[in-house]
Amino acid sequence: MKKNEFRFADELGPLKIIHVYEPSINLKAILVVDNVAMGPSIGGLRMAPDVSTEECFRLARAMTLKNAAANLKHGGGKSVLFGDPGMDKSGKENLIRCLAKALRGEEEYIFGPDMGTNEECMAWVRDEIGRSVGLPREVGGIPLDEIGATGWGVSHAVEVASEFCGFKMEGARFVVQGFGAVGKHSARFLSDMGAVMVAASDSKATVYDPDGLNVNKLIEHKNSGQSLSEYNKGKVLKRDEVIGIECEIWIPAARPDVITEKNVDQMKTKLVAAGANIPATPGAEKILFEKGIINIPDFIANAGGVICAAMEYQGATESSVFESIKDKIRRNTKQVLEDSANKNILPRQAAVELATKRVKKAMEFRRFSIFSSAPKFV
Ligand code: NAD
């Protein structure tokens, strides 16, 4: 056996890595079930031409930590499907239905939506094997992007962190990078808390107004299919100028690795609350910490979506989802920021320690720690 065959393995997992290949329809996919000590894993199905086993593993591990931090009865897993998510619909449906069937027996993995897949894709999976979350309302789902589950959680993480940063929400200036599902709803909930949006960006441009932008008007503008570069209020700046806008709260809600060692010094904020996954490189996170800028890690701040999905799976109502997201995210943000301050460690390290402790405790209750239902021997 070659040494690097188990290069991802550590004390938490992964439990399984499965490659699915059906050449007759050009189906190539990977499933990583990382750890199921807390229960069957939940994690998204990502579709993109350039996915890899390593990416799938990293995303699955992130789900193990996110689900454990949120105290869900679920472990972490992820699946990736090679292909162009914009391909013709019948071809995409065929691939996803076939993948679902291939993974029918993998009962410790529950499909969810991710980049390149959506509620409709989850409905196809449900139709094939009955095991998916993030479903359309018509088949019992709670559409998490429509209700703004992740943005709701981000706004509560921010409100808790504002006390650690020493500013009040009323009048606090915020900036949102990426005005999509997470960005728009974060902006809406933060402005309900009295904060003022001074800039927002999308893939084309940044709009900026130091006196405040009208959040509802900007959402209407984006929902009509126009880019922020075509907005007629405030000043239109280059897309990446969003990084240096002065504010109290900076919300990354677009792509990974947008805050790097090269641009982190331009930031003029007191707080970064990650709506996006891994928006800052490890080096940039260290610099933020050294500068005294509080940085709430992604899997703490943006867990609203998966909390909603897990509750949907258990048949919860939409209104109970909001209460639960609020409670869990407020409690975790407070705990992580206190641990970070008391131990003088990065908030991410504090969050990883918190989540890992929960997973290890759950593993102690298992005869075979990696299985969610321990095999029984007599
Ligand atoms: P989305 O596609 O709805 O929105 C993304 C937005 O970012 C779009 O407005 C796009 O124009 C913009 N964008 C793309 N590149 C950009 C760039 N370089 N600079 C500025 N803007 C840019 O996606 P989403 O669902 O809002 O997800 C955003 C991020 O949050 C992703 O990293 C996703 O993995 C993460 N996330 C989403 C959820 C959820 O519930 N949707 C939950 C957890 C994490």
Side-chain angles (χ1 to χ4, degrees), residues 46 66 114-115 144-145 150 177-183 201-204 222 239-240 253-256 258 275-277 302 305:
R46 175 167 293 192
K66 188 184 279 195
D114 193 69
M115 273 165 56
L144 56 95
D145 278 343
T150 302
Q177 183 197 43
F179 214 56
V182 176
S201 70
D202 64 9
S203 57
K204 301 263 166 45
K222 269 304 273 184
R239 183 190 75 185
D240 292 341
R255 310 276 309 149
V258 290
N277 290 322
N302 73 20

Side-chain angles (χ1 to χ4, degrees), residues 118-227:
N118 59 14
E119 292 167 4
E120 191 177 24
C121 303
M122 292 306 109
W124 299 331
V125 174
R126 178 180 182 270
D127 184 44
E128 293 297 334
I129 62 168
R131 218 173 50 237
S132 59
V133 291
L135 292 162
R137 225 183 226 117
E138 295 73 18
V139 284
I142 305 176
L144 56 95
D145 278 343
E146 188 185 312
I147 66 170
T150 302
W152 170 251
V154 168
S155 70
H156 281 283
V158 167
E159 194 174 49
V160 170
S162 67
E163 290 171 26
F164 289 78
C165 300
F167 64 79
K168 295 214 164 1
M169 290 301 288
E170 190 63 45
R173 295 163 300 171
F174 71 92
V175 167
V176 178
Q177 183 197 43
F179 214 56
V182 176
K184 282 189 264 194
H185 288 292
S186 300
R188 190 162 64 80
F189 293 123
L190 284 171
S191 83
D192 288 347
M193 289 172 171
V196 177
M197 183 163 80
V198 290
S201 70
D202 64 9
S203 57
K204 301 263 166 45
T206 294
V207 262
Y208 168 60
D209 187 342
D211 296 327
L213 292 157
N214 183 318
V215 171
N216 289 334
K217 290 231 163 83
L218 209 60
I219 292 175
E220 261 174 44
H221 175 83
K222 269 304 273 184
N223 288 351
S224 72
Q226 298 177 82
S227 152

Side-chain angles (χ1 to χ4, degrees), residues 175-371:
V175 167
V176 178
Q177 183 197 43
F179 214 56
V182 176
K184 282 189 264 194
H185 288 292
S186 300
R188 190 162 64 80
F189 293 123
L190 284 171
S191 83
D192 288 347
M193 289 172 171
V196 177
M197 183 163 80
V198 290
S201 70
D202 64 9
S203 57
K204 301 263 166 45
T206 294
V207 262
Y208 168 60
D209 187 342
D211 296 327
L213 292 157
N214 183 318
V215 171
N216 289 334
K217 290 231 163 83
L218 209 60
I219 292 175
E220 261 174 44
H221 175 83
K222 269 304 273 184
N223 288 351
S224 72
Q226 298 177 82
S227 152
L228 294 183
S229 60
E230 296 157 286
Y231 195 59
N232 58 8
K233 294 260 165 55
K235 202 169 160 190
V236 174
L237 307 175
K238 286 192 191 135
R239 183 190 75 185
D240 292 341
E241 286 186 78
V242 71
I243 193 105
I245 306 243
E246 194 172 335
C247 60
E248 278 70 45
I249 307 156
W250 205 90
I251 312 279
R255 310 276 309 149
D257 295 334
V258 290
I259 306 172
T260 66
E261 289 92 324
K262 288 199 179 125
N263 65 13
V264 64
D265 282 330
Q266 296 170 33
M267 296 194 92
K268 297 189 202 86
T269 187
K270 294 187 171 139
L271 172 66
V272 176
N277 290 322
I278 46 168
T281 61
E285 288 200 337
K286 195 161 166 274
I287 296 170
L288 287 172
F289 184 66
E290 286 159 3
K291 284 170 161 269
I293 298 175
I294 288 187
N295 174 28
I296 315 171
D298 43 13
F299 70 88
I300 298 295
N302 73 20
V306 76
I307 296 171
C308 178
M311 291 181 74
E312 172 192 302
Y313 200 66
Q314 286 147 19
T317 60
E318 229 167 277
S319 53
S320 63
V321 158
F322 279 102
E323 261 322 289
S324 194
I325 293 173
K326 177 176 161 184
D327 281 359
K328 285 176 186 285
I329 291 190
R330 290 188 81 91
R331 201 163 350 108
N332 279 339
T333 305
K334 186 163 181 285
Q335 177 80 57
V336 163
L337 296 185
E338 278 173 1
D339 289 353
S340 162
N342 293 339
K343 299 182 188 169
N344 194 28
I345 55 175
L346 264 63
R348 179 169 297 277
Q349 194 185 334
V352 169
E353 283 179 11
L354 173 90
T356 306
K357 206 166 125 193
R358 284 183 189 160
V359 177
K360 284 189 179 164
K361 190 78 208 158
M363 288 169 82
E364 280 172 28
F365 298 129
R366 308 283 174 189
R367 177 167 176 186
F368 292 96
S369 56
I370 51 177
F371 296 109

